[in-house]
Amino acid sequence: MLLMDERRRILFVGGKGGVGKTSLASAIALARSRRGARVLVVSTDPAHNLGHLWERDVEDEPVRLAENSSGGCVDGMEIDPERTIARHLAAVEQTMIRMLPERQHAQAREHLERARVAPGSHESAVLERIAEAAELIDGDYDLVIFDTAPSGHTLRLLALPGQLAGWTDTLLRNRDRSERFSAAMRGLTGRVEQGSSSEAELRRTLHLRRARFENLQRAITDAETCGFVVVFTAEALPVAETLEVVESLNGMHVDVAALIANRRSPNDAGDLLRARRDVEDRHLRAVHAALPEIPVIEVPLVAGELTGVEALGVLAELLQQEIVRPRTPQS
Amino acid sequence: MTHRTAALRFSERWAAFREGLTEYYAGPYRQTLARERRDEDDLFTLVVLGEALGVPDPAAYYSAELMPMLAEDFHAWHRRMGMPRSPLDQMSCC
Amino acid sequence: MSPVLLMFIGLALFVFGYLVYSKYLAKRIYKLDPAFKTPAHELNDGVDYVPTNKFILWGHHFTSVAGAAPIVGPAIAVIWGWLPAFLWVTLGTVFFAGMHDFGALWASTRNKGRSIGALSARYIGKRGANLFLVVIFLLLLMVIAAFAVVIKDLLISTPSAVIPTWGAIVVALLVGVAVYRLRWPLVPVTIVGVAALYALIVLGDQVPVALPDDFLGMGPATFWILALFIYGAIASLLPVWVLLQPRDYINGVQLFVGLGLLYGAVLIATLFAADKPEIVAPMINMSVPEGTPSMIPLLFVTIACGAISGFHGMVSSGTSSKQLDKEPDARFVGYFGAVGEGLLSLGTILAVIGGFRTVAEWEEVYSSFGAGGVGAFVQGGGMLMENGLGLPASLSATVLATMAVLFAATTMDTGMRLLRFVVQEIGDAMHIKIKKFPATLVVVVVGLGLTFSQGFAGDGGLRIWPLFGTTNQLMAALTLSILAVMLIRKRRNALPALLPLIFVFVMSFWAAIEQLASFADPAEPDWLLFVLDVIIIVASIWVAVEAFIAMRKAAADPPEPEDQDASIQAVREEV
């Protein structure tokens, strides 16, 4: 089954607010873990739901959420941008203190405050953590699932690696040109410029950055390894947004692994729900017509609260039954 | 014995000649090249310090990392940019 | 008389000058002190102020000052006979140029490596600095125009030089890429580059390019001049490592090869040739062609570089002084640098008087003032080389023509670049910011204007030459007066500076007046040059007055303590 494909190591689960992303992300995680995989669920949504869903305290570092006998497990993490920024700037501060004389230390700290509150810092911090998490698939985890913020944020976030790779490239090329001039200036009697250690460190930092951005960019555009799952409910607005999101993702060369139509009204629970189901069917036909190549997984409306490991287990079962709507107009 | 020392002397002379030639090539334009290098470096500094100077920088998170390495040349840089006093309240080089 | 005899006399004089006179200057006049901390050490910044080995520094200095001027001047001047030119070149180098270049280097070194402009502010007065800017502007302008004409003439008279000279640009570009981008080792690149150049020369000899009379709607002369200015503009705007730097380098290497060929040819021809070269030119030409100006004073401004040239003072104080390792090196770098140029001029004289077979041949070439110029050098030298080295005359001529064109072209593109800086500096002084492209445009327009003012085929082109010489001497006079003032202040014997100063000033001033008359001549007026001449005359008077005042003041003021120098702000950064 699609989502159980073991080649997929990274999944992004996205969609409009409130459609059940977190639940489904967790369900997918649970399903896979039952097959023996070690899975990490990362919440990038500032309005974190992961903890509430699993009825556990989830923090900025991975926390064990579930284990099972086949060796698989599910860990969860809620990214805290503030904490990430603080850690990052603390490291920078250390470097600054190392390189500046004593009397300027207090000033160095003030200096960094600006970066803390700068617009874009939050997104960069989140991106940083995503990159870190994505790198874990080589060792600690077999699958990393990102429970993302409502669509717009996520799309911007996914475009960042490419943009930032370009940014570091520009700076690196600037350094290259500068270095070429230095080399051209050297001669027998020209004292070699204090080949500053800070210059070397600068380049190292930039290279590391670029490598990270490029790796992330490559990872998310690798159709085999990484996929995006758009969750929606078969209603007008979510459907419209879903189509737009898919278009954007195609533009960014991110593979859309599947669409999940969540909370499908049942056929046999009363007229109201049946009527709703008919409307939903219509929407789903439209989706199929617009996106014939992308598989649509339907998940029925579940009774009761969807919190806690057991409830999530039920959801996981439902997912595995893989109700894929056939491509016939009739239901 | 004499062969080796003669060869050694020759290779030393050759090395000196080669370096002399390099200096002959590089010398006259060293100043011009130094200026161009300085321009590149100044641009770099400007980009990295953008946020601190009040220029919105979406990559401020990453620029911050590069800031410590600019500390050395900062004073000379702001002088060159035509700012007689340090533009950063925090960096009191002068 | 055999040219070899003249060669040895000349060489002997140079040797005497270096061993005896420069030593005297070093000990008694300039008092070089090995313990003195030169600016290269005091202000060492790894960029401008870099202590440099004296041989390399000499190489730089020499190749920057030597160029086409030491060839063009003497080549024209032998119209008055070989003796006057020979004497002016040899004695001028020994007592004037050597002393001047040496002194300029010393003066600048003692003043923290400041340029002549800044020095004139200190020793003559603030107005001196402005004067300097005006003179430099005119000098550079005239160099560019004059050399454009020289090159144009050569390309037309020696069409076999067309391919090598323009191909040399490609060679330089490739060398630049190889050294700067690919970082290949320099020695093999140099060898390949020079070999490529000579291969092009051989090719050019086989494939001469003579433009038809109507090429793209203009005559060949007009076309070449335009092409040269466009080339110069582009070269001066490109990053230096792309074209200018490798160009200068190959040029320098070439210079040594050329000198070697020339002197070698004379020597070998005299020793081994069946048909030994003889000096066919008259010793003193009693029957100069009509229209030739009188030898005195024009001789002294026709040959400037090679006898004494203010331009060198600029180079000495512009860069060489900042790289001097020890003060005593100034003797080698400065004085011997001038001697090197004297060698080039002497070689030219030998070529144009000993290359031709008969007097009649010579007279044909020197049919009027300016007619015998670089062309004579190429032809005469070519024949000498054929005689001595066995290279066919046309190939030899191509070699020399290529050499001369490349020298002139590098001076032209460097000159255009410097002139652009001057234009920008003038703009600064008037509080107008002029950017690179507009400044270059100004240079091209003004340069073309001056060149074409001599006719669209630049026919009257070399009428500028003596004016160029005059301006050059004016700069030399300025430098000499600075030296005189410095010496007077230190209460040392100032005669070695004063006597040349008076001589040069009188001769160039007189020449300027005479040229004024010729530019105003109703038969062939040239109002543009007339105006330029007037400016130069005014500037000369200004220099004279300022210098005189400064010298009197220096004599009246209490003497300067031995080591007191260099504590004053520069008025203006050098070009």
Side-chain angles (χ1 to χ4, degrees):
Chain A
M1 182 211 114
L2 208 64
L3 294 172
M4 296 301 130
D5 185 354
E6 272 165 20
R7 285 173 304 170
R8 296 254 189 220
R9 313 292 301 280
I10 303 176
L11 282 177
F12 286 89
V13 178
K16 213 162 158 51
V19 295
K21 295 189 294 295
T22 313
S23 316
L24 286 169
S26 304
I28 296 172
L30 209 48
R32 282 270 258 153
S33 74
R34 284 177 181 167
R35 303 248 183 120
R38 299 161 301 161
V39 186
L40 174 65
V41 181
V42 180
S43 169
T44 67
D45 190 344
H48 291 301
N49 292 319
L50 202 57
H52 302 145
L53 186 67
W54 288 80
E55 293 173 333
R56 298 280 303 280
D57 274 329
V58 181
E59 350 167 301
D60 195 41
E61 298 294 323
V63 158
R64 182 58 44 97
L65 295 175
E67 268 172 347
N68 65 56
S69 45
S70 63
C73 64
V74 178
D75 287 350
M77 184 169 96
E78 282 176 355
I79 294 181
D80 180 352
E82 301 273 345
R83 185 167 167 271
T84 310
I85 294 175
R87 250 186 340 171
H88 174 78
L89 292 179
V92 176
E93 192 181 316
Q94 286 310 308
T95 319
M96 268 209 181
I97 286 176
R98 194 164 28 98
M99 302 185 102
L100 286 179
E102 177 82 38
R103 59 194 159 80
Q104 289 185 337
H105 285 180
Q107 295 161 353
R109 277 180 213 113
E110 277 182 53
H111 198 39
L112 292 175
E113 271 310 299
R114 282 268 174 72
R116 189 189 305 279
V117 300
S121 282
H122 270 231
E123 275 179 338
S124 304
V126 173
L127 186 70
E128 192 64 12
R129 300 302 299 284
I130 291 179
E132 269 175 29
E135 282 158 15
L136 293 172
I137 59 173
D138 284 324
D140 296 347
Y141 295 101
D142 302 308
L143 170 64
V144 176
I145 303 182
F146 291 99
D147 168 26
T148 70
S151 312
H153 293 233
T154 309
L155 287 177
R156 264 215 315 280
L157 213 51
L158 287 179
L160 269 184
Q163 289 167 358
L164 286 170
W167 178 85
T168 44
D169 247 344
T170 310
L171 290 179
L172 272 170
R173 263 177 299 150
N174 172 298
R175 292 294 86 206
D176 280 340
R177 278 195 302 267
S178 175
E179 213 263 298
R180 262 203 293 267
F181 286 130
S182 291
M185 283 163 54
R186 272 179 233 134
L188 168 67
T189 50
R191 297 285 158 262
V192 173
E193 303 298 298
Q194 262 48 8
S196 42
S197 60
S198 51
E199 180 68 34
E201 227 179 296
L202 203 68
R203 291 181 141 259
R204 254 198 311 270
T205 312
L206 279 171
H207 269 292
L208 280 174
R209 281 282 156 226
R210 186 176 62 177
R212 175 162 265 186
F213 294 141
E214 275 181 1
N215 288 340
L216 186 59
Q217 178 74 348
R218 223 175 310 135
I220 62 182
T221 51
D222 181 352
E224 264 191 29
T225 326
C226 172
F228 201 104
V229 176
V230 189
V231 179
F232 66 109
T233 50
E235 295 165 312
L237 261 50
V239 164
E241 185 174 306
T242 302
L243 294 176
E244 281 172 10
V245 167
V246 171
E247 201 182 314
S248 301
L249 288 171
N250 286 337
M252 288 192 283
H253 304 292
V254 178
D255 185 51
V256 182
L259 304 178
I260 301 184
N262 202 12
R263 304 194 192 121
R264 284 283 278 145
S265 305
N267 222 348
D268 50 5
D271 290 334
L272 180 65
L273 289 173
R274 195 180 307 118
R276 283 191 64 92
R277 191 182 174 87
D278 288 336
V279 175
E280 287 170 12
D281 284 344
R282 227 182 340 116
H283 284 303
L284 281 177
R285 278 198 292 276
V287 171
H288 274 297
L291 306 169
E293 303 90 31
I294 306 180
V296 180
I297 302 171
E298 295 183 35
V299 176
L301 190 58
V302 175
E305 283 286 359
L306 249 176
T307 53
V309 187
E310 287 181 22
L312 287 172
V314 171
L315 194 53
E317 288 299 317
L318 285 174
L319 263 179
Q320 290 190 27
Q321 283 165 27
E322 195 177 347
I323 310 167
V324 182
R325 189 170 183 86
R327 293 186 191 176
T328 51
Q330 271 304 317
S331 80
Chain B
M1 210 34 187
T2 33
H3 282 299
R4 260 183 77 218
T5 44
L8 199 61
R9 244 179 332 155
F10 176 73
S11 73
E12 275 170 19
R13 291 243 187 87
W14 179 249
F17 171 73
R18 231 184 344 175
E19 283 167 29
L21 208 60
T22 311
E23 171 61 23
Y24 183 67
Y25 192 95
Y29 285 95
R30 193 171 279 127
Q31 189 201 27
T32 315
L33 293 171
R35 285 224 180 110
E36 305 222 25
R37 183 183 66 172
R38 210 175 51 192
D39 287 343
E40 291 287 340
D41 292 352
D42 285 349
L43 181 60
F44 186 82
T45 307
L46 197 56
V47 166
V48 170
L49 286 184
E51 188 64 43
L53 293 172
V55 178
D57 177 14
Y61 182 85
Y62 297 107
S63 310
E65 251 180 341
L66 304 172
M67 272 196 253
M69 298 139 207
L70 294 177
E72 289 174 9
D73 282 322
F74 183 68
H75 181 67
W77 177 82
H78 79 70
R79 279 306 206 51
R80 274 200 301 276
M81 294 294 109
M83 302 183 244
R85 306 224 70 87
S86 165
L88 300 180
D89 316 312
Q90 313 82 3
M91 198 74 101
S92 65
C93 40
C94 51
Chain C
M1 178 176 167
S2 167
V4 167
L5 190 57
L6 210 57
M7 179 174 108
F8 280 125
I9 299 177
L11 288 177
L13 282 168
F14 289 147
V15 167
F16 164 80
Y18 183 68
L19 290 180
V20 179
Y21 191 58
S22 75
K23 192 151 177 209
Y24 162 72
L25 290 174
K27 269 187 86 175
R28 290 289 153 75
I29 309 290
Y30 299 133
K31 302 210 176 150
L32 303 181
D33 178 10
F36 177 73
K37 206 167 181 211
T38 59
H41 286 284
E42 203 190 331
L43 303 172
N44 189 352
D45 65 355
V47 177
D48 292 314
Y49 296 87
V50 177
T52 307
N53 167 291
K54 71 180 178 191
F55 293 105
I56 298 173
L57 196 54
W58 176 83
H60 281 157
H61 185 97
F62 175 48
T63 48
S64 333
V65 301
I71 298 178
V72 175
I76 297 178
V78 299
I79 197 167
W80 290 298
W82 59 258
L83 187 63
F86 176 77
L87 286 178
W88 177 227
V89 164
T90 48
L91 297 177
T93 301
V94 168
F95 292 108
F96 289 55
M99 174 266 150
H100 165 274
D101 292 8
F102 184 5
L105 191 51
W106 167 78
S108 175
T109 307
R110 283 266 165 177
N111 278 279
K112 297 217 189 305
R114 298 234 166 75
S115 71
I116 290 290
L119 291 180
S120 68
R122 184 182 185 211
Y123 289 106
I124 309 278
K126 276 213 180 128
R127 293 172 296 213
N130 293 323
L131 176 64
F132 174 73
L133 209 54
V134 169
V135 175
I136 285 286
F137 181 83
L138 290 177
L139 195 59
L140 288 173
L141 190 60
M142 283 190 267
V143 156
I144 293 169
F147 280 13
V149 169
V150 165
I151 299 174
K152 175 262 300 180
D153 283 340
L154 271 176
L155 289 175
I156 292 181
S157 71
T158 321
S160 54
V162 172
I163 290 186
T165 49
W166 293 95
I169 298 175
V170 177
V171 172
L173 286 171
L174 294 174
V175 168
V177 167
V179 172
Y180 185 77
R181 272 298 173 93
L182 304 172
R183 310 253 190 108
W184 285 352
L186 194 54
V187 175
V189 170
T190 310
I191 296 175
V192 171
V194 174
L197 189 58
Y198 279 91
L200 282 171
I201 289 177
V202 172
L203 178 65
D205 193 39
Q206 299 298 316
V207 186
V209 175
L211 293 180
D213 276 333
D214 187 349
F215 187 71
L216 297 180
M218 53 184 115
T222 318
F223 174 75
W224 284 130
I225 293 177
L226 275 175
L228 282 168
F229 271 93
I230 294 175
Y231 153 74
I234 298 176
S236 66
L237 285 171
L238 288 171
V240 293
W241 61 265
V242 173
L243 189 51
L244 289 185
Q245 188 175 26
R247 262 283 256 216
D248 277 358
Y249 178 70
I250 301 272
N251 208 41
V253 172
Q254 251 230 99
L255 174 56
F256 290 107
V257 174
L259 270 177
L261 284 176
L262 207 48
Y263 278 88
V266 172
L267 209 52
I268 298 177
T270 311
L271 292 176
F272 300 116
D275 189 5
K276 301 201 187 306
E278 276 290 318
I279 298 181
V280 296
M283 193 157 89
I284 298 184
N285 196 352
M286 293 307 174
S287 53
V288 285
E290 220 197 284
T292 309
S294 58
M295 185 173 85
I296 300 184
L298 260 297
L299 172 67
F300 304 104
V301 299
T302 305
I303 302 182
C305 296
I308 175 168
S309 158
F311 194 64
H312 304 180
M314 241 175 76
V315 176
S316 291
S317 65
T319 41
S320 305
S321 62
K322 295 184 170 82
Q323 298 183 284
L324 208 59
D325 188 20
K326 298 188 300 294
E327 215 189 11
D329 287 351
R331 184 179 158 212
F332 182 72
V333 176
Y335 197 92
F336 201 65
V339 167
E341 217 189 10
L343 281 170
L344 188 53
S345 291
L346 182 60
T348 305
I349 293 178
L350 293 174
V352 299
I353 62 178
F356 300 101
R357 295 292 146 93
T358 64
V359 185
E361 239 182 68
W362 186 88
E363 279 181 351
E364 218 190 290
V365 173
Y366 281 88
S367 53
S368 72
F369 184 69
V374 199
F377 167 70
V378 167
Q379 265 188 293
M383 287 193 263
L384 258 182
M385 276 169 66
E386 182 183 38
N387 207 357
L389 303 173
L391 293 171
S394 84
L395 185 61
S396 308
T398 312
V399 169
L400 292 175
T402 308
M403 194 172 101
V405 168
L406 289 180
F407 287 158
T410 33
T411 307
M412 228 188 125
D413 56 43
T414 309
M416 283 179 81
R417 192 161 150 266
L418 290 177
L419 197 53
R420 174 184 103 219
F421 290 148
V422 175
V423 167
Q424 288 176 305
E425 227 190 280
I426 294 178
D428 280 346
M430 303 197 299
H431 299 290
I432 308 173
K433 176 124 178 68
I434 311 181
K435 296 174 87 186
K436 261 196 331 186
F437 289 101
T440 309
L441 199 58
V442 168
V443 169
V444 170
V445 166
V446 176
L448 276 175
L450 183 56
T451 315
F452 284 145
S453 75
Q454 306 301 302
F456 272 101
D459 327 317
L462 283 181
R463 243 172 135 185
I464 296 179
W465 187 262
L467 203 56
F468 162 63
T470 311
T471 316
N472 208 352
Q473 309 299 40
L474 184 61
M475 265 216 71
L478 189 58
T479 311
L480 285 171
S481 44
I482 292 173
L483 284 177
V485 168
M486 274 179 85
L487 292 173
I488 294 177
R489 274 208 197 174
K490 296 181 195 295
R491 297 290 187 266
R492 297 185 201 162
N493 181 10
L495 283 181
L498 276 175
L499 292 177
L501 169 61
I502 295 172
F503 183 82
V504 163
F505 184 78
V506 165
M507 285 302 165
S508 48
F509 192 77
W510 183 355
I513 303 283
E514 259 203 36
Q515 287 176 78
L516 206 60
S518 97
F519 295 141
D521 179 2
E524 246 194 285
D526 190 326
W527 297 113
L528 180 57
L529 293 187
F530 183 85
V531 169
L532 287 180
D533 203 353
V534 168
I535 297 177
I536 291 173
I537 291 179
V538 168
S540 311
I541 300 175
W542 194 351
V543 166
V545 170
E546 293 277 3
F548 185 67
I549 296 175
M551 281 188 265
R552 254 216 340 216
K553 184 166 185 294
D557 279 349
E560 214 172 63
E562 248 337 285
D563 282 332
Q564 206 246 8
D565 280 306
S567 45
I568 293 193
Q569 307 289 336
V571 170
R572 203 183 279 284
E573 275 310 329
E574 84 263 21
V575 168

